[in-house]
Amino acid sequence: MSGFSSPHTLMVQGTTSDAGKSILVTAICRILARHKISVAPFKPQNMALNSAVTADGGEIGRAQAVQAEACYLAPSVDMNPVLLKPNSDIGAQVIVNGTAIGNMKATEYHAFKPQLLTEVVQSHQRLQQQFSAVIVEGAGSPAEINLREHDIANMGFAERIDCPVIIVADIDRGGVFAHLLGTYELLSVSEKARVKGFVINRFRGDVSLLEPGLDWLTARTGVPVLGVIPYLTNLHIEAEDAVNQQQKNAGNYQQLKVVVPLYPRASNHTDFDVLRMHPQVDCTFMKEITEFCGADLIILPGSKNVQGDLQWLIEQGWDEVIKRHLRLGGKVIGICGGYQMLGHWVHDPDKIESTAGSSAALGLLDMETTLMDDKCLRNVSGYLCDSEIEVKGYEIHAGESRGPALETPLFQLIDEGGKQRYEGVRNSDNTLLGTYLHGVFDHPQLLAELLGWAGLTQTERFDYPAFRDQQIDRLADAVEAVMPLSLLSALLDLEERSAV
């Protein structure tokens, strides 16, 4: 590994989106961390609607928060210095060093990227100074010819800091050798020189049947295949952005039916992973209203374009479905943008998310919301009102809601510094809840309380944080079996260390 300016940094790039970059970085981080090697994740530029709040009040991609968890670390802004949150087909909110700096169209952002390279490199340098190893995740594919100029997410970044690269492909998609060879051949001479290996992800069957292809690829490119990762059935690692609409837990005794309308700019859908894993819950993301055939609970998720998604919701007929659902005794929860939709009006006078101005909302809560430029980013804790049930979560929103509905709050929170405040809404007949808090389902006691409120009797305890950590270990076990510590240490130019 000599000859690289950043030898203790390893970058994982992929042949396509969802090739396995995020999970491979997560796995490598956990392998190194449990062998007592200090390691941090890094993604120069992320485009995702799933985000997390850092301890210092910044916003980063959710995948990097999961990777930080794999390292046994709290997430920091330096782990993802540039985050793009799409709010239209041609534009996104741009977040730099944890803070939103405005909305940009794709062409504007492309011209702006060179200015961000310094920020990205400085974040990486700070991590290098703190940790023995940094594992970098690329974005999309390095072979997107139209995006090569001003690239800060893939080879442009790797060339700038001078680090080695491995390329991963998903064999379950088919055409894995075409993906790997085609990607490699589209790289420049200097970019090819930093590719130290290929990784094949999600292989099913006898790996010996794949070996002739592996030998051919190595002979053709001179680049070794470092590992073939097996397909792990029912593996759950929180998604960076893509939504899998299939029920994760296909058990035979789900007792509570939950439906989440999946509008175009739905955000932080990882809020509902715990429901999709719960053995007693059938939780379905639903785009087509024609698929709706009743539910115990409807949850409106967050949104990066509340007025646009509200319009979609009404055009699809979900407003009438929700009102009928409540008349028939069903329950409804609105989270963040979904909470704002439950009021009478959503106002956006400063065009924070759209040019819609003011939009009539669903009218189920006596309140109005005004979007403002100052985004609220904070981690919170407290209690469910009139109980000792603890709540922990995080807020990511640009709006402030006001009105009589807030006189019956849902949570009693304690801010940093010990100041008490109230948050959320519970309506008068106890059929509808609204909150700005993400992550409220993650904690076992509150989860059981909310599921009981929605109609589930004799709720089984489900510790989602513990389950999530077990899944990271399961992934790391499978990857370490084919990519041992000795291999990772060589790639990172580290002295191999044994587990303690």
Side-chain angles (χ1 to χ4, degrees):
M1 295 300 297
S2 61
F4 288 106
S5 300
S6 300
H8 307 317
T9 291
L10 178 64
M11 189 169 194
V12 178
Q13 298 183 9
T15 56
T16 62
S17 295
D18 295 324
K21 298 183 294 293
S22 294
I23 66 166
L24 184 54
V25 169
T26 302
I28 294 173
C29 284
R30 176 54 62 93
I31 293 167
L32 296 176
R34 65 189 185 184
H35 282 282
K36 309 303 181 185
I37 296 172
S38 68
V39 57
F42 182 73
K43 184 157 185 169
Q45 172 193 287
N46 196 347
M47 178 177 284
L49 288 173
N50 292 335
S51 59
V53 178
T54 63
D56 56 355
E59 186 176 5
I60 66 171
R62 188 74 196 161
Q64 281 60 67
V66 173
Q67 291 160 0
E69 183 179 345
C71 299
Y72 309 115
L73 299 173
S76 78
V77 166
D78 280 335
M79 295 174 182
N80 179 208
V82 179
L83 173 63
L84 307 177
K85 301 186 77 173
N87 50 23
S88 73
D89 289 340
I90 60 171
Q93 183 182 62
V94 180
I95 297 166
V96 180
N97 293 326
T99 301
I101 64 170
N103 296 323
M104 293 187 189
K105 294 182 178 178
T107 52
E108 293 176 288
Y109 178 72
H110 184 67
F112 183 65
K113 282 195 293 184
Q115 300 178 48
L116 295 175
L117 183 57
T118 299
E119 301 287 350
V120 165
V121 170
Q122 288 176 348
S123 289
H124 172 258
Q125 288 174 340
R126 285 191 289 269
L127 293 178
Q128 272 191 316
Q129 292 166 3
Q130 297 175 61
F131 299 95
S132 300
V134 179
I135 311 301
V136 184
E137 179 186 340
S141 164
E144 301 291 348
I145 304 303
N146 57 310
L147 299 177
R148 296 286 292 276
E149 185 180 14
H150 306 322
D151 172 49
I152 65 171
N154 289 298
M155 283 297 181
F157 174 76
E159 295 259 273
R160 177 63 176 80
I161 69 161
D162 192 20
C163 72
V165 171
I166 59 177
I167 298 177
V168 60
D170 182 357
I171 196 171
D172 201 49
R173 293 169 176 262
V176 71
F177 294 111
H179 282 163
L180 287 168
L181 180 61
T183 299
Y184 182 78
E185 290 295 342
L186 287 171
L187 301 179
S188 70
V189 173
S190 62
E191 291 168 347
K192 288 179 179 178
R194 66 182 64 257
V195 177
K196 297 303 171 185
F198 299 126
V199 175
I200 293 177
N201 186 33
R202 302 213 308 168
F203 176 74
R204 308 172 191 249
D206 185 347
V207 73
S208 66
L209 299 176
L210 192 63
E211 288 175 354
L214 306 183
D215 293 340
W216 173 88
L217 183 64
T218 299
R220 176 69 182 264
T221 64
V223 178
V225 177
L226 301 175
V228 177
I229 301 170
Y231 187 100
L232 299 178
T233 304
N234 295 326
L235 176 70
H236 173 67
I237 303 293
E238 288 186 356
E240 180 173 66
D241 200 42
V243 181
N244 183 350
Q245 292 181 248
Q246 296 180 342
Q247 169 72 20
K248 295 276 188 175
N249 177 17
N252 295 320
Y253 62 109
Q254 285 96 356
Q255 301 170 21
L256 191 80
K257 183 173 180 58
V258 179
V259 168
V260 181
L262 192 61
Y263 22 79
R265 300 295 170 193
S267 63
N268 284 73
H269 58 74
T270 51
D271 281 341
F272 312 111
D273 282 2
V274 56
L275 300 179
R276 304 177 78 206
M277 293 292 111
H278 197 293
Q280 294 173 285
V281 177
D282 174 7
C283 180
T284 303
F285 290 118
M286 195 171 291
K287 286 184 178 179
E288 301 298 331
I289 196 169
T290 54
E291 298 175 5
F292 184 82
C293 55
D296 299 294
L297 173 63
I298 295 176
I299 306 178
L300 299 183
S303 167
K304 192 63 197 73
N305 187 331
V306 175
Q307 289 169 293
D309 283 342
L310 175 60
Q311 181 181 358
W312 178 90
L313 202 73
I314 294 171
E315 289 175 349
Q316 295 292 314
W318 279 103
D319 54 338
E320 294 302 323
V321 165
I322 291 168
K323 291 173 184 177
R324 184 172 67 248
H325 168 77
L326 286 169
R327 288 198 304 271
L328 295 176
K331 302 293 178 67
V332 172
I333 297 177
I335 296 178
C336 199
Y339 170 35
Q340 295 172 346
M341 294 179 193
L342 296 175
H344 289 298
W345 290 91
V346 176
H347 308 289
D348 190 357
D350 298 325
K351 302 178 182 179
I352 303 302
E353 292 184 352
S354 73
T355 60
S358 294
S359 299
L362 300 179
L364 299 174
L365 290 174
D366 191 5
M367 69 176 202
E368 298 183 2
T369 298
T370 301
L371 303 185
M372 297 175 291
D373 193 40
D374 188 15
K375 182 185 286 190
C376 176
L377 296 167
R378 56 190 168 197
N379 294 295
V380 300
S381 62
Y383 298 89
L384 183 68
C385 285
D386 301 322
S387 78
E388 296 182 355
I389 297 175
E390 294 185 8
V391 57
K392 291 184 180 179
Y394 57 98
E395 294 182 54
I396 304 176
H397 61 91
E400 181 177 345
S401 300
R402 293 183 178 182
L406 277 69
E407 295 173 5
T408 54
L410 183 59
F411 298 120
Q412 177 181 330
L413 302 180
I414 303 171
D415 287 339
E416 294 179 4
K419 184 178 180 181
Q420 179 179 299
R421 66 182 176 93
Y422 291 95
E423 196 280 332
V425 169
R426 185 192 295 267
N427 71 342
S428 58
D429 58 1
N430 198 28
T431 59
L432 190 154
L433 307 179
T435 179
Y436 274 116
L437 301 192
H438 296 283
V440 294
F441 298 114
D442 288 4
H443 307 283
Q445 190 176 8
L446 181 58
L447 172 64
E449 178 71 17
L450 292 174
L451 294 181
W453 166 81
L456 184 62
T457 58
Q458 299 180 335
T459 306
E460 292 185 15
R461 178 180 172 83
F462 182 55
D463 189 336
Y464 179 64
F467 170 81
R468 187 171 56 203
D469 196 65
Q470 291 167 0
Q471 292 293 295
I472 293 174
D473 273 331
R474 179 185 172 210
L475 170 65
D477 289 343
V479 174
E480 189 170 7
V482 297
M483 298 179 67
L485 180 62
S486 57
L487 171 62
L488 298 177
S489 296
L491 288 168
L492 286 158
D493 201 21
L494 295 172
E495 181 178 346
E496 183 180 347
R497 307 181 190 186
S498 58
V500 175

